[in-house]
Amino acid sequence: MASVAKQGADHSHGGASGLFTRMREATGTVYGDIGTSVLYTLMEITRETVALKHHVHGEELTKLLASGGDLLSRQDILGGLSLVFWALIFVTVKYDLIIMKADNHGEGGTFALWALLKGSTSKIFGLTLIGYLVVAAAGLLAADGVITPPISMLGAYEPLGESLAVAATILSLFILFKPQWRGTSQVGGLFGWFMMLVWFPWIAIKGVPWILKHPDVFLALDPSYAVRFLADFPGVGLFVILGVVVLAITGGEAKYADIGHFARRGETYVGEGQSLDPKDSGRRPVMGSWLALVLPCLLLNYAGQASYLLARGVPPRANTFYALTPKTGDGDVDFAILIVDMVISGIAAFIASQALITGMFSIVKQAIALGFCPRFAVKFTSREAEGQVYIPAINWAMFIGCVTITLVFRTAGNLAAAYGIAVTGTMGITTLTFGYVAHYRWGWGVGKAVLVCAPILAVDLLFFASNLLKFTHGGYYPVAIAAVLVTIMMTWQWGRGQLAGAFYAFGVQGGKKMGWLVALREKVDEIQLSIQENLPLARTLVQGRRRLVETDRAFVFLCSRPIRDLDEYVPVSLRVFLKKYGVLPAHITLFHVRQLTVAEAEKGSARFEVFDLGRNIVSITATYGYMEQPDIRGALRELQLRGEINIPSDRWIIESGEEEIITSDDLPRLTWVRILLFRFILRLSTPAHKFLGLGYDAGVSKEIIPVVFSREGVKVALPELEINDPEAPPHLVAG
């Protein structure tokens, strides 16, 4: 096995993309969301400030803003800009300088933090609570993922009017989700050129002329302006303002969630639960593009919008972004420029959605690996970055969710009320979990962990509390989505845990070891009995009315773990097969698939480990890279040609276990509902044989394993049809 492990390390020397290429991809993948926040953030801050200052709401506010005018003071304008500026600095310090240092094999996000935490050998205080919060964060990020595309696109198409904006958004959503199968490197690379060469320079250019007219706008860098601005809104008003300031940093969490897509293969092998070398981590390109391009351009545009407010007052409908669009005085030319501006903004809003889509793929992939999520077909799209994946089921589920959100809320302003709870909730959980990792995994003292994380967590919670005010105005929507997803994930984890306990009791506590199976085969060969003289292919081991029949067929049993010696326990699917049918195959192959974290495993003999356990019982461990589709039939043919296995048939029956959930009548109602939900999720998940690429033509036979849930517990329920040899020692008793 040492050669395979070494191969994993050696294979990681592949040539990864250069830093500039990864920065460009990060610009198009990660920063579309936060990069298009300029479309609506200052507009919403202006609207809420006017509403609070003039004590108007609803239709009265709409009428007041219809023509705009001198509705805000200089202090209001600079105070709002100051809040936006320091919110962006907060995101920079939190993620770029602190949180992104924690990756699990290059992956980011709350599940990566959970994996790092689980790798700690210390006893962790409150681990169960952290586990629930991590799952909740994943659900909240998913809810955020179905809000981000509609709010960005509806904001970009706002000048078209409500009906046309909705239609354009739905069309754009389809165009966005359709090519996701090409992968982050291609989608993000194409988007990256646009964001790097068009969008970010364009928003900076729009802001600069207005800044030159009012350079004093940079007084807003003084945080005292933000403090005085908030002081003008005692009580609930303060939380209302902070609730819309959050719009400036939505998408910031994608900086961490997406870093796995930009990590590169280094010179040393890194296992699960370990972090990459900093030079190989996706942190470098993500942070580099932020500091060099994204952040400066955002600040210039926000400053430009504030400068416009200082010079001209509040524009019609408070749309400060489109108020910056250059004008010549010629109506036709100005209209053409507005159309160009809107097209550029629409493309940017289109791209903005990529950050959350990419993040969701990463999170679901990690959730599957950690047992929080059912199996889905996962397609790896890059040979250089294992983190770049495409999950069709998640892709189209998000598309349906985005379309539903668009049809329900219809405008960016309405959606702003639903936006924020999911983002700030995720940010707070990330900070708390990071503190645990820093203390329990990195060895930080409690004082240091609290000193670093407590101020950040305080800001996160302040933003979260501010957004709770939106709950009854649409904020319930992402919370409801998150609640459904958390219920599914927790039910799946609970159900798999129950099944694992039942399989352990059946296969280990009451099971047999491989040595027993080899001895049983030996006993059958020695006895040389026949049912009838004219049936030479069948031999039996008789115990009363119970008969063990040998068949000449070759059976391949898929195993979740490698079998290397006679002290290993007989796999559950094989034991169920023996108990149900009383048939001992002439040749038994136990097949385990091991997948590496490199694109391709080494070809040839290093791919396979073959263990001859004796008496035509063979165990095979086949190693594949994440870009390779396991080929079980091809592996068997190749090993047969090499003479490493001697299967007396050119066709194999491949046995794959599949659970059948049975409920007893004495279960409590709530438990019954939980089991019913688990059974439904189990049916939706991808079966093991399909997950391994075995289709209907592969000679697959499903071995149904009945599992009964009752008040007494969960157990594998099979008829007690034991196979015994009356003269055999106790260790030869079959079961």
Side-chain angles (χ1 to χ4, degrees):
M1 194 58 195
S3 63
V4 178
K6 182 178 183 298
Q7 165 255 316
D10 294 344
H11 212 88
S12 63
H13 282 276
S17 301
L19 180 60
F20 174 78
T21 300
R22 291 188 293 147
M23 286 176 62
R24 172 171 53 83
E25 291 175 357
T27 304
T29 303
V30 177
Y31 295 122
D33 184 7
I34 199 169
T36 53
S37 60
V38 294
L39 287 167
Y40 46 78
T41 299
L42 215 56
M43 176 178 70
E44 291 302 320
I45 292 175
T46 300
R47 287 177 174 175
E48 291 297 344
T49 304
V50 170
L52 292 170
K53 288 285 185 178
H54 296 269
H55 308 288
V56 291
H57 300 281
E59 290 297 326
E60 292 182 4
L61 177 62
T62 302
K63 291 177 181 178
L64 184 61
L65 292 174
S67 57
D70 188 16
L71 301 175
L72 297 178
S73 68
R74 174 186 171 85
Q75 166 60 36
D76 295 334
I77 296 167
L78 294 179
L81 177 62
S82 185
L83 282 173
V84 170
F85 171 77
W86 287 105
L88 292 171
I89 296 302
F90 167 73
V91 165
T92 304
V93 172
K94 174 179 176 175
Y95 287 105
D96 294 82
L97 302 185
I98 300 176
I99 301 291
M100 287 199 297
K101 291 182 178 180
D103 68 85
N104 173 42
H105 196 262
E107 296 283 358
T110 51
F111 277 130
L113 291 172
W114 175 254
L116 290 173
L117 194 58
K118 292 287 283 184
S120 172
T121 56
S122 306
K123 184 177 181 180
I124 300 173
F125 172 76
L127 182 64
T128 302
L129 175 61
I130 294 297
Y132 283 119
L133 290 175
V134 164
V135 174
L140 289 170
L141 189 64
D144 189 25
V146 298
I147 294 177
T148 294
I151 193 173
S152 298
M153 294 178 183
L154 288 170
Y157 299 135
E158 194 260 353
L160 294 175
E162 183 179 306
S163 298
L164 287 177
V166 168
T169 296
I170 293 175
L171 177 61
S172 297
L173 286 171
F174 178 77
I175 297 172
L176 170 70
F177 282 94
K178 186 67 170 68
Q180 289 298 322
W181 62 271
R182 296 180 180 274
T184 302
S185 58
Q186 293 191 43
V187 176
L190 178 63
F191 289 173
W193 283 120
F194 178 86
M195 300 299 284
M196 182 177 285
L197 299 180
V198 180
W199 175 250
F200 286 114
W202 173 245
I203 64 174
I205 290 170
K206 286 183 67 174
V208 168
W210 295 97
I211 293 173
L212 294 177
K213 294 178 182 179
H214 272 276
D216 56 326
V217 75
F218 286 115
L219 289 172
L221 300 183
D222 181 351
S224 65
Y225 279 90
V227 174
R228 289 198 300 270
F229 179 57
L230 290 176
D232 288 341
F233 302 101
V236 176
L238 180 146
F239 291 100
V240 171
I241 294 298
L242 287 177
V244 289
V245 169
V246 166
L247 297 174
I249 58 175
T250 52
E253 72 282 358
K255 292 160 71 72
Y256 182 46
D258 289 356
I259 59 172
H261 289 253
F262 311 103
R264 70 175 185 176
R265 289 173 287 163
E267 298 178 353
T268 56
Y269 178 73
V270 178
E272 294 297 326
Q274 296 178 319
S275 296
L276 292 182
D277 187 289
K279 70 178 186 299
D280 300 321
S281 170
R283 178 188 176 211
R284 289 185 70 194
V286 171
M287 184 169 64
S289 60
W290 171 254
L291 296 177
L293 177 68
V294 179
L295 180 60
C297 291
L298 287 176
L299 292 178
L300 287 174
N301 189 266
Y302 280 125
Q305 292 187 46
S307 297
Y308 179 93
L309 291 171
L310 289 172
R312 300 281 184 87
V314 178
R317 301 188 308 279
N319 197 323
T320 50
F321 178 79
Y322 282 110
L324 300 186
T325 303
K327 294 181 175 61
T328 63
D330 185 315
D332 293 336
V333 174
D334 289 348
F335 179 75
I337 295 174
L338 176 62
I339 293 299
V340 171
D341 192 6
M342 193 166 59
V343 168
I344 292 174
S345 300
I347 295 173
F350 178 91
I351 294 171
S353 312
Q354 187 62 43
L356 270 300
I357 296 172
T358 302
M360 276 308 302
F361 290 160
S362 294
I363 285 173
V364 171
K365 172 177 170 285
Q366 294 177 66
I368 292 172
L370 291 171
F372 285 105
C373 182
R375 281 189 302 259
F376 291 111
V378 178
K379 300 182 183 298
F380 293 87
T381 60
S382 171
R383 295 180 180 275
E384 295 180 355
E386 184 198 358
Q388 295 191 17
V389 296
Y390 167 66
I391 306 177
I394 300 301
N395 185 69
W396 293 110
M398 288 184 69
F399 169 74
I400 293 171
C402 288
V403 171
T404 302
I405 287 280
T406 301
L407 294 174
V408 169
F409 288 91
R410 302 188 69 82
T411 69
N414 292 339
L415 255 180
Y419 213 20
I421 292 180
V423 176
T424 53
T426 303
M427 290 171 64
I429 294 170
T430 299
T431 303
L432 180 62
T433 312
F434 173 83
Y436 267 72
V437 170
H439 174 60
Y440 287 103
R441 188 64 190 268
W442 295 350
W444 286 15
V446 174
K448 181 180 179 180
V450 170
L451 184 65
V452 172
C453 297
I456 298 174
L457 183 59
V459 176
D460 289 333
L461 293 178
L462 183 60
F463 279 135
F464 180 68
S466 301
N467 280 275
L468 286 178
L469 295 176
K470 302 178 180 181
F471 186 83
T472 57
H473 301 286
Y476 62 86
Y477 209 91
V479 172
I481 295 174
V484 170
L485 295 176
V486 167
T487 301
I488 290 173
M489 286 189 282
M490 296 309 300
T491 300
W492 176 259
Q493 189 190 41
W494 170 81
R496 295 307 302 179
Q498 295 295 313
L499 292 181
F503 290 155
Y504 179 80
F506 178 79
V508 176
Q509 292 178 336
K512 307 291 184 181
K513 292 188 176 182
M514 291 302 301
W516 164 84
L517 184 63
V518 173
L520 185 64
R521 152 73 67 192
E522 189 175 72
K523 192 67 179 177
V524 171
D525 291 343
E526 288 175 357
I527 294 177
Q528 294 289 322
L529 295 176
S530 173
I531 297 177
Q532 297 177 1
E533 292 183 359
N534 64 346
L535 187 55
L537 296 180
R539 289 168 293 179
T540 62
L541 182 61
V542 178
Q543 166 62 17
R545 291 179 297 173
R546 182 65 176 151
R547 178 180 299 156
L548 176 66
V549 180
E550 184 185 37
T551 175
D552 67 337
R553 299 308 298 266
F555 281 78
V556 179
F557 293 87
L558 301 181
C559 305
S560 60
R561 55 185 171 83
I563 305 292
R564 293 189 171 91
D565 54 51
L566 298 180
D567 284 331
E568 301 275 1
Y569 283 92
V570 175
V572 171
S573 59
L574 173 55
R575 186 157 176 251
V576 169
F577 178 86
L578 293 173
K579 286 177 70 70
K580 285 176 68 175
Y581 303 115
V583 173
L584 187 63
H587 194 290
I588 296 175
T589 301
L590 307 175
F591 202 102
H592 171 68
V593 173
R594 174 175 178 260
Q595 287 198 300
L596 297 176
T597 55
V598 294
E600 293 181 356
E602 185 177 328
K603 302 291 193 296
S605 59
R607 183 185 291 277
F608 305 108
E609 286 183 293
V610 180
F611 301 92
D612 189 349
L613 302 176
R615 297 291 178 175
N616 287 333
I617 301 175
V618 176
S619 176
I620 299 171
T621 297
T623 303
Y624 297 90
Y626 65 79
M627 286 290 291
E628 299 178 293
Q629 174 63 57
D631 183 4
I632 295 176
R633 289 180 296 174
L636 293 172
R637 292 192 186 98
E638 183 176 341
L639 291 171
Q640 186 183 38
L641 290 174
R642 290 186 200 167
E644 295 190 50
I645 58 174
N646 181 27
I647 299 178
S649 171
D650 60 355
R651 180 175 176 269
W652 306 276
I653 297 175
I654 300 176
E655 287 282 339
S656 174
E658 183 173 304
E659 304 91 346
E660 180 183 4
I661 307 300
I662 301 171
T663 56
S664 66
D665 296 331
D666 60 350
L667 287 171
R669 176 65 59 181
L670 191 59
T671 304
W672 181 82
V673 171
R674 195 178 193 185
I675 296 169
L676 196 66
L677 176 60
F678 173 66
R679 181 162 55 189
F680 175 73
I681 300 170
L682 188 64
R683 289 177 178 173
L684 292 180
S685 66
T686 304
H689 66 280
K690 290 186 178 179
F691 200 71
L692 295 174
L694 294 171
Y696 68 94
D697 59 340
V700 175
S701 175
K702 291 183 182 180
E703 196 56 62
I704 302 300
I705 304 173
V707 182
V708 175
F709 286 71
S710 66
R711 282 186 180 272
E712 288 71 33
V714 183
K715 65 178 183 178
V716 176
L718 285 171
E720 291 301 324
L721 302 176
E722 299 294 345
I723 306 166
N724 302 326
D725 175 10
E727 300 178 0
H731 70 278
L732 292 184
V733 177

